Amino acid sequence: MTPTSDGNLLTDHPELYEERFPDPDRLAARWTEDVLARHGAGPRVLDVGCGTGRDAAWLHHRAGRRVTGIDTSSAMLAHAATHHPGPDHHAADMRDFDLGTRFDAIVCLDSALLYCHTNEDLTSFLARCRAHLTPGGLLVAEMRNGAFFLGGTDLLDGPSVSTFTWRDTTYTSRTTLWIDHGAQLLRRRRTWTADDGSPAQEQHSAWRLLFPQELRHFLTTAGFEVLALHDGPGPRTDPPWSEGDLPHGTAHSDRLHLVARLTPRPDNGDPTP
C-alpha cells in the first residue's frame, strides 16, 4: 500500500493529538508559569503556536493571566475554542502576525520556534515579537537543542515505532529522523497506519537546528537580552521539571530552554529601564 501524504493526522485531529501527547498535570503550562513568575512578567501573555490550547487555558484560568493564542491550524484553533475556552484565539503565522496590541510575555513551546526554517523566518518572528512586547517584556521558548546533534545520535538511531489506542482504533507510527546539513534542519518522515482499514498516511516535517551561541546572536541583534539559555529541567526533559527546580547551566542535552527580555530603546520612544 502506498501511503497518502495529505494533511497531518495529529494536527488535523486535535483530540487524537492530546491522546498521543497527554499532559494531564499541565506540566508545560506550570513550567511556563514558574518562568514567568520568577522573572516578574506581567499578566498579558501571547502563546505562539498554541495548538490545542490546553496550556493557554491553564495559564488563563489557573495562573490568572490574560492569554491570547495564535496558530496556523484551523482544526487546532476550533478545538481550543471548544475544549479549552477562555483565551482569545487567532489564526496567524508566527512570521507576520499583527494583533494590534502588546503583551508582557510571549511564549513559544514544544519547538514551535523551530518552524522558522530560515534566517529570514527567524528574523521576521523576532521582529514581530519586538512589535508585540511591552518594553522589558519576556520571550520564553522551549525547543530541541541543535547543539545536542554535534555528538548525540540517539534520536537518529531509527526508525522508531510507537503504538497507541484511541476510540477502539490502534494507531502505529514509524518515524525516521535525519539531518539536512546544508539547510540546518532536522527532517522527519512519519508513516501512520491504523487497524481500522484506513489508508496509511505519510507526513513530512522539519525543525531548524539552532545552536545556543547562534540563538544568542539572533536575539541580541533583535534587541533582546538573554537571561537564561539551558538544557533543563523542562517539561520535555528526562527527568522532567518539578516544582522548585532551578535551571541548569549546561546546554548539551536534547532540549533547550530560553528566557530573553526585550531591551527598551529610547530612540523608539521606549522608556529607559
Side-chain angles (χ1 to χ4, degrees):
M1 178 186 299
T2 301
T4 64
S5 57
D6 296 330
N8 185 304
L9 179 68
L10 296 184
T11 57
D12 291 347
H13 301 86
E15 291 182 343
L16 186 60
Y17 180 96
E18 291 192 338
E19 180 70 22
R20 175 64 182 85
F21 300 110
D23 188 8
D25 297 325
R26 297 297 184 264
L27 185 62
R30 291 192 291 113
W31 173 84
T32 303
E33 173 57 23
D34 180 78
V35 173
L36 295 175
R38 185 153 27 90
H39 291 278
R44 297 167 298 176
V45 174
L46 173 64
D47 184 358
V48 174
C50 63
T52 65
R54 59 188 178 186
D55 297 327
W58 191 96
L59 290 168
H60 189 88
H61 295 293
R62 299 290 299 273
R65 298 190 179 273
R66 299 199 299 274
V67 183
T68 298
I70 64 172
D71 204 285
T72 58
S73 168
S74 58
M76 287 287 196
L77 292 170
H79 179 89
T82 301
H83 296 273
H84 304 292
D88 293 326
H89 299 102
H90 301 274
D93 189 300
M94 65 191 299
R95 298 165 296 184
D96 62 7
F97 63 93
D98 185 359
L99 302 179
T101 189
R102 290 198 175 196
F103 300 88
D104 301 303
I106 293 175
V107 301
C108 200
L109 304 177
D110 202 24
S111 294
L113 183 134
L114 302 185
Y115 288 110
C116 293
H117 286 177
T118 67
N119 292 347
E120 292 76 17
D121 289 344
L122 185 55
T123 299
S124 296
F125 169 64
L126 293 176
R128 291 292 79 209
C129 289
R130 180 168 196 95
H132 285 78
L133 280 171
T134 57
L138 293 181
L139 172 61
V140 177
E142 181 272 333
M143 68 199 92
R144 292 186 181 274
N145 178 14
F148 171 78
F149 294 94
L150 291 173
T153 62
D154 295 3
L155 298 179
L156 305 177
D157 295 336
S160 63
V161 178
S162 178
T163 299
F164 72 101
T165 300
W166 182 64
R167 294 182 178 175
D168 298 324
T169 297
T170 298
Y171 296 86
T172 300
S173 66
R174 186 178 181 86
T175 302
T176 302
L177 298 171
W178 72 96
I179 295 177
D180 181 339
H181 291 84
Q184 204 169 313
L185 294 175
L186 177 67
R187 295 194 181 275
R188 181 180 71 187
R189 179 177 61 250
R190 173 173 286 167
T191 302
W192 284 101
T193 56
D195 65 358
D196 62 356
S198 59
Q201 293 189 35
E202 184 173 287
Q203 299 155 7
H204 298 262
S205 54
W207 299 269
R208 172 69 179 267
L209 291 179
L210 287 168
F211 301 101
Q213 289 301 317
E214 180 185 23
L215 189 53
R216 285 183 185 275
H217 172 74
F218 275 103
L219 288 158
T220 302
T221 302
F224 287 83
E225 175 191 3
V226 176
L227 304 180
L229 191 58
H230 58 88
D231 59 4
R236 297 285 300 273
T237 60
D238 184 18
W241 172 87
S242 61
E243 304 289 346
D245 284 348
L246 295 177
H248 301 157
T250 60
H252 55 72
S253 298
D254 65 326
R255 306 302 292 187
L256 195 62
H257 308 82
L258 164 72
V259 184
R261 189 182 302 281
L262 180 62
T263 305
R265 293 197 310 196
D267 60 319
N268 277 0
D270 294 341
T272 56

